[in-house]
Amino acid sequence: MPAPYCYEYPRPMVTVDLAVFSLVEQSLRVLLIRRGHEPFAGKWAIPGGFLEMDEPAEAGARRELREETGLEIAGPVEPIGFLAEPGRDPRGRTITLAHATVVRPGEHKPQGGDDATEAAWIKIGDHIDLAFDHGEILSQALAWLRRGVIDRTSTLALEVLPRSFRLEDVHALFLGLGLTHRQTAPWLRRMVRSGRIERVEEPLLHFHLVESTS
């Protein structure tokens, strides 16, 4: 017996994608998977897949990330928009709910799983021919991260930097987002004054994340 309120009209499919950023080898990187199946077999893509019928969108994004890369994200995941252009997916009309998050470097080692043959941290700025319209999702995710880094009330940058970092790490993060060296000094001063990081002079100048005791 058909479910109540089930209409005989075509309905779109829904997918969830999750862009994950980290600072790896002193460069801003995004976690990508290499697709194992058509369409776009062999191409890099943002981790994601079809949303299950009784699954919240964020839970679906976290599940797909775990299945395709092995990563379990403990921190917040933010919705950043949706893509719904007809023809964006050769499998049929598909609406994607895009999400983004950051992880601290060195805490996550991805490994391809499910329908992903490979998972890797890819440097922002490298020319990559992404599957579907994932280039647009990546652009939206980078804009989200850039807003979070320059927002005076946000601590997002501290969540992507190592717990102990040097000035060069901050430069790498800012440059990866299209920001400038000159913008790093005010940000560092603001973080030190807020008590979120401390400046350590020896043996080499670096900064250390102050862990919250609350």
Side-chain angles (χ1 to χ4, degrees):
M1 182 177 180
Y5 314 118
C6 186
Y7 303 102
E8 295 182 1
Y9 296 103
R11 292 181 293 278
M13 300 172 284
V14 179
T15 56
V16 284
D17 293 329
L18 178 50
V20 184
F21 296 102
S22 189
L23 200 69
V24 180
E25 297 177 356
Q26 220 165 72
S27 63
L28 180 62
R29 305 199 181 209
V30 62
L31 180 59
L32 298 179
I33 58 103
R34 195 181 294 278
R35 289 181 58 82
H37 304 301
E38 296 292 351
F40 303 107
K43 281 196 172 185
W44 290 107
I46 291 172
F50 288 102
L51 185 66
E52 296 180 356
M53 289 299 294
D54 299 317
E55 186 176 40
E58 181 183 319
R62 290 176 181 271
R63 172 185 55 78
E64 285 288 342
L65 180 72
R66 181 178 66 252
E67 291 174 357
E68 293 186 336
T69 72
L71 265 66
E72 294 267 11
I73 300 297
V77 168
E78 296 287 341
I80 59 171
F82 66 91
L83 290 87
E85 191 69 22
R88 60 178 297 272
D89 189 332
R91 295 169 296 188
R93 184 68 194 276
T94 305
I95 297 172
T96 286
L97 308 177
H99 299 74
T101 190
V102 298
V103 296
R104 210 173 297 284
E107 295 184 358
H108 301 272
K109 298 187 182 303
Q111 184 174 359
D114 195 24
D115 54 357
T117 61
E118 183 181 357
W121 293 107
I122 305 298
K123 186 177 180 181
I124 297 297
D126 286 356
H127 177 71
I128 305 166
D129 185 19
L130 292 174
F132 303 101
D133 52 3
H134 285 194
E136 175 61 25
I137 297 177
L138 180 56
S139 295
Q140 291 186 19
L142 282 168
W144 164 82
L145 181 55
R146 188 180 301 111
R147 289 192 301 270
V149 167
I150 64 177
D151 184 345
R152 297 179 65 88
T153 65
S154 172
T155 60
L156 188 60
L158 295 179
E159 297 168 29
V160 72
L161 288 165
R163 296 183 186 278
S164 183
F165 58 89
R166 300 177 62 185
L167 184 59
E168 291 82 357
D169 295 312
V170 184
H171 284 165
L173 172 60
F174 276 57
L175 290 178
L177 293 170
L179 303 172
T180 67
H181 279 182
R182 287 190 294 181
Q183 290 172 283
T184 63
W187 179 84
L188 282 167
R189 286 196 297 269
R190 190 164 64 247
M191 291 297 107
V192 170
R193 285 199 302 265
S194 71
R196 294 186 176 99
I197 63 174
E198 58 183 1
R199 180 185 175 110
V200 181
E201 299 289 345
E202 296 178 353
L204 295 172
L205 173 62
H206 65 282
F207 301 87
H208 188 73
L209 182 66
V210 177
E211 301 289 352
S212 173
T213 58
S214 59

